[in-house]
Amino acid sequence: MRTSRTLRQLVVALALLVAFLFQATWVLAGTTGRLVGQVTDEAGAPIAGAAVKASSASQAVVATTDAGGHFTFLTLAPDTYTVSVSKDGFNPTTYPGVTIFADQSQSLSLRMQKGLKTIATVGARASGNLVKSGTTADVYSVNAATQTAVQGIGGGGNLDSAYSAIYSQPGVVSQIGNYGFGQVYYIRGSAYSQVGYEYDGVPVNRAFDNYNANSLSSLGSQETEVYTGGSPAGGSSATLAGYINQVIKTGTFPGYAQANLGIGTPSFYHKAGVEAGGATPDRLFSWYVGIQGSNQMYNTLDNTNGANQAIDGSGANGIYSSPFNAYASTLSFYPNGTFSTCGPNGPPAGALGYDP
C-alpha cells in the first residue's frame, strides 16, 4: 500500500514538471524570435571569427561566427533590426531592415568584400589652393623655369618681366592689358598700395606712396615669391594684403653664360640680354651679372596713338614717342654676404647695398 502511494506521488510530480516545462517553452516561443545566418566572402567561402551585431530600438546583441561562418540569435524581441558584420581584412557590411516576428525564425546570408590593408595614412593638399584651413597667408614660389613657361599669360608686354609669374598665382587679379613698369593688380582684393615688395630681401617700396620701386625683371630672378596675405615674420616692407619678393641668382661652379638677341615687328619689340655667373669650387666666392634691355613701342605718336592730334600736328598732349623701357640690370657678388645694385627703376641707379 505504501509502495503504491509513493509511486502515485512520483507520477504526479513528473506530470507537474512536464506541465511547467511546456508552459515555459510556450511562453518563450510566443514572445521572441530567432535569427540565423552565415557570413561568406566574395567567393562563397565561410568567414570564421566575424563579429555580427543585431541592433534595434528594443535591444542590441552581438555574436561571433563559427568555423563554418554561421551565427545564431535565439531570443530576439520582435522588432526591425540592423545587422552589421565586421572582421579584420574585410570591409564592414550592414544590412538594415531585418524584421523579427514572434515565434518565427529568420535566415540571413551576409557577404563581405576583402578590404585593402592600410599601411600608412598620408594627407595631401594642392599647393595652388587659394583657401587653406587655419592659414591666413600662403606663399607660392615661381622658379625661373616656371616663370619662363608662363611669361605669355600677361600678354606680350610682360615677356621680360615677372608680372606674368605673379598673375598665375591663386588670389591675384590683374587688369586687362597691363604692360610695362608699375602694373596695377590686386591680391585678394587689396589696393595696390597695400602690397609689399622686396628685392632679394631688400625693401623696395617707394616712400611717398608705398608702391613698388623695382622693375620686377625676369632676368636674374632665381625665384619670385608671392605671399597672399600679410608679410612674413622676417619681412621689412609694409603690407596689409600681399607681399612680393624676388630672389636673385648666384654663381655656380662650373660657371655659365647666356646671351639673347631679339627683334619684333610691327610692334617694334627689341630685346637684348646677357647673363653670366661663376663661383670658386668651394663656393666661398661667387659672382653673377645680368644685363637686359627691352623696348616696346605700341604708340607711334602719343598715348592715344595720334587720335587727339589736330591737322597741324598740335594736340593736348603734344607729339612724343614712347619712352625706352630698360629693365633693371643686376650685379651681385657673394663673398660671405650679398652686394647688389639694380636700376633704373629699382633702388636709385648705381646704389650699392650689402646684406651680411
Side-chain angles (χ1 to χ4, degrees):
M1 187 71 175
R2 185 180 184 86
T3 302
S4 177
R5 184 182 303 171
T6 302
L7 182 59
R8 186 169 59 253
Q9 291 176 348
L10 182 59
V11 171
V12 172
L14 289 175
L16 291 174
L17 178 61
V18 172
F20 277 118
L21 290 176
F22 274 104
Q23 179 66 22
T25 303
W26 179 85
V27 172
L28 183 63
T31 59
T32 61
R34 188 172 69 160
L35 176 64
V36 298
Q38 184 183 27
V39 180
T40 60
D41 59 16
E42 296 175 291
I47 300 176
V52 183
K53 181 179 181 180
S55 57
S56 69
S58 302
Q59 64 180 131
V61 290
V62 179
T64 303
T65 58
D66 59 16
H70 299 95
F71 65 91
T72 302
F73 296 107
L74 289 177
T75 55
L76 293 178
D79 206 338
T80 299
Y81 289 79
T82 296
V83 181
S84 58
V85 56
S86 61
K87 176 160 174 79
D88 292 340
F90 293 86
N91 295 327
T93 304
T94 301
Y95 292 81
V98 179
T99 303
I100 300 299
F101 297 96
D103 200 22
Q104 292 189 16
S105 178
Q106 295 279 6
S107 180
L108 187 63
S109 296
L110 307 179
R111 179 160 295 186
M112 303 186 69
Q113 295 180 344
K114 289 186 177 181
L116 297 176
K117 185 177 181 180
T118 302
I119 300 177
T121 302
V122 178
R125 182 177 60 192
S127 60
N129 284 351
L130 176 58
V131 179
K132 299 183 178 68
S133 176
T135 303
T136 57
D138 301 324
V139 58
Y140 305 95
S141 177
V142 185
N143 58 31
T146 303
Q147 190 165 260
T148 301
V150 302
Q151 64 180 351
I153 290 180
N158 294 318
L159 295 179
D160 300 306
S161 69
Y163 285 105
S164 292
I166 297 174
Y167 298 158
S168 66
Q169 301 310 303
V172 181
V173 178
S174 67
Q175 294 180 342
I176 298 176
N178 267 346
Y179 69 91
F181 167 72
Q183 298 183 23
V184 176
Y185 58 91
Y186 309 92
I187 300 180
R188 288 182 172 174
S190 64
Y192 75 91
S193 60
Q194 295 173 341
V195 179
Y197 295 88
E198 288 194 1
Y199 185 74
D200 209 20
V202 178
V204 291
N205 283 68
R206 298 188 302 207
F208 61 91
D209 62 358
N210 200 47
Y211 196 58
N212 178 29
N214 185 24
S215 63
L216 290 180
S217 172
S218 60
L219 183 73
S221 176
Q222 179 68 32
E223 64 174 340
T224 299
E225 298 175 342
V226 181
Y227 292 79
T228 57
S231 62
S236 302
S237 296
T239 173
L240 295 176
Y243 186 83
I244 306 296
N245 180 40
Q246 277 193 295
V247 181
I248 63 175
K249 291 182 179 180
T250 62
T252 61
F253 180 82
Y256 58 90
Q258 184 179 2
N260 296 293
L261 177 63
I263 186 171
T265 183
S267 61
F268 197 64
Y269 170 75
H270 291 188
K271 177 181 180 180
V274 176
E275 181 179 71
T280 57
D282 55 8
R283 291 276 303 172
L284 291 179
F285 176 82
S286 66
W287 60 272
Y288 172 82
V289 58
I291 299 175
Q292 182 181 42
S294 301
N295 186 357
Q296 300 189 43
M297 191 171 294
Y298 294 102
N299 301 323
T300 57
L301 292 177
D302 57 14
N303 60 344
T304 62
N305 205 25
N308 65 338
Q309 299 299 317
I311 298 177
D312 59 1
S314 63
N317 298 320
I319 299 177
Y320 68 97
S321 59
S322 297
F324 178 80
N325 297 323
Y327 284 94
S329 60
T330 301
L331 179 63
S332 58
F333 297 90
Y334 294 85
N336 300 325
T338 301
F339 289 97
S340 64
T341 178
C342 56
N345 293 323
L352 185 65
Y354 174 71
D355 294 333

